[in-house]
Amino acid sequence: DTEVTQTPKHLVMGMTNKKSLKCEQHMGHRAMYWYKQKAKKPPELMFVYSYEKLSINESVPSRFSPECPNSSLLNLHLHALQPEDSALYLCASSQGSQGRAGNTIYFGEGSWLTVV
Amino acid sequence: AQSVAQPEDQVNVAEGNPLTVKCTYSVSGNPYLFWYVQYPNRGLQFLLKYITGDNLVKGSYGFEAEFNKSQTSFHLKKPSALVSDSALYFCAVRDPSAGNNRKLIWGLGTSLAVNP
C-alpha cells in the first residue's frame, strides 16, 4: 500500500469553482511532486517542492496553484479550470531533494478530477 | 537528449508463460532506470530500479529486469505471468549527469494483458 495519501479520490467541479487537492506523506521525504496524467499516457510533471520550497514549475497555467504547508503536506489549489484539465492528478514524494537522481519517487493513488 | 522507448503498445501472454516488457533508453551519461506499474484506476506503483552494480535487478511481485549497457535496454521480465499482472507498465530514466534537469523521463507505457 502506498504511504502517500491523496484526497479527495474523485472531484467534479465547475469551471468557476475553487477547489483543492490534498496530499500527505509520512515517510520523512523532503521532495514532493504533483503530476497530471491522462488516460493510458505517462504522467506529466507539474511541480516539485524540495525542502518545502518550490524548485520546479513546468510552465503550468496559473489556474493551478501549489502550496507546501510543511514537509508532510502538499496542496494543489484549483481555480477557473477548463474541461481539458480533467485528468488524474498524482502526488508523489522522494527522499532528499528532487535532484538526487537515484531516489525512488513514490506515488499516491491519485485524485480523479472532472471539470464540467 | 534523454529519451525512453517502449516499442510495444500492447503485450499479450498466457497465464503461466514468461513475460517480457521491453524498454530502451538514450542518455548521455550512465542511466538510472525505473519500472512502474499502474493497475486499472490506480496510482503508479514502483517495481524496481537500476542504479549501479548487478545488471539483474529483482523487484516487487516476482518481477526482475536486466540492464544491458551495450544494447541500452532495461527489459522487465517475470518467469510465470499471472492474470493479476495485467496492467500498464512504464519505464523511466534519469540521467544523473543532467545537472538540475534530473527529471524522470517516461516511456509511453506498455499495456500487458495476461490471458487465463
Side-chain angles (χ1 to χ4, degrees):
Chain A
D1 288 338
T2 181
E3 295 184 62
V4 179
T5 305
Q6 292 187 242
T7 56
K9 292 195 186 311
H10 298 272
L11 178 62
V12 179
M13 61 184 291
M15 289 188 284
T16 59
N17 291 160
K18 285 186 181 181
K19 297 286 184 183
S20 297
L21 304 180
K22 297 184 182 299
C23 175
E24 187 170 11
Q25 58 90 10
H26 295 288
M27 294 181 281
H29 289 172
R30 302 312 299 268
M32 295 188 76
Y33 309 74
W34 280 114
Y35 282 84
K36 174 184 177 181
Q37 187 184 26
K38 292 281 197 180
K40 298 191 184 299
K41 300 293 186 185
E44 301 170 33
L45 183 64
M46 300 175 70
F47 302 104
V48 181
Y49 275 82
S50 263
Y51 292 88
E52 301 163 46
K53 294 190 187 308
L54 183 65
S55 61
I56 292 180
N57 176 342
E58 289 287 290
S59 302
V60 179
S62 60
R63 58 186 184 268
F64 295 92
S65 175
E67 178 196 19
C68 189
N70 61 52
S71 61
S72 300
L73 295 175
L74 187 65
N75 299 322
L76 186 63
H77 303 299
L78 314 171
H79 174 53
L81 295 192
Q82 304 296 312
E84 58 265 29
D85 295 323
S86 299
L88 178 65
Y89 287 84
L90 292 162
C91 177
S93 69
S94 66
Q95 195 172 24
S97 72
Q98 76 84 26
R100 295 282 297 275
N103 287 341
T104 300
I105 296 178
Y106 294 94
F107 289 83
E109 291 292 342
S111 292
W112 292 91
L113 174 66
T114 303
V115 182
V116 297
Chain B
Q2 306 168 64
S3 66
V4 177
Q6 293 182 242
E8 299 157 319
D9 291 335
Q10 173 100 21
V11 170
N12 294 293
V13 64
E15 187 175 28
N17 282 2
L19 70 86
T20 299
V21 183
K22 296 179 180 178
C23 173
T24 59
Y25 65 88
S26 175
V27 299
S28 55
N30 292 318
Y32 290 175
L33 293 152
F34 301 79
W35 275 104
Y36 286 83
V37 60
Q38 188 169 33
Y39 297 101
N41 300 314
R42 303 291 298 274
L44 288 155
Q45 292 185 32
F46 168 71
L47 279 178
L48 52 79
K49 67 181 179 183
Y50 172 81
I51 303 299
T52 187
D54 194 345
N55 289 343
L56 184 63
V57 179
K58 294 189 183 296
S60 305
Y61 312 123
F63 284 94
E64 59 187 30
E66 186 166 13
F67 171 64
N68 187 318
K69 188 171 183 177
S70 62
Q71 297 186 9
T72 62
S73 67
F74 189 56
H75 300 331
L76 182 70
K77 300 183 180 187
K78 187 173 182 180
S80 178
L82 300 172
V83 173
S84 56
D85 292 329
S86 299
L88 186 57
Y89 290 81
F90 289 102
C91 181
V93 67
R94 243 181 182 160
D95 182 354
S97 66
N100 289 328
N101 191 25
R102 294 177 185 170
K103 297 185 300 184
L104 266 181
I105 305 300
W106 296 84
L108 294 180
T110 298
S111 181
L112 173 68
V114 181
N115 307 306

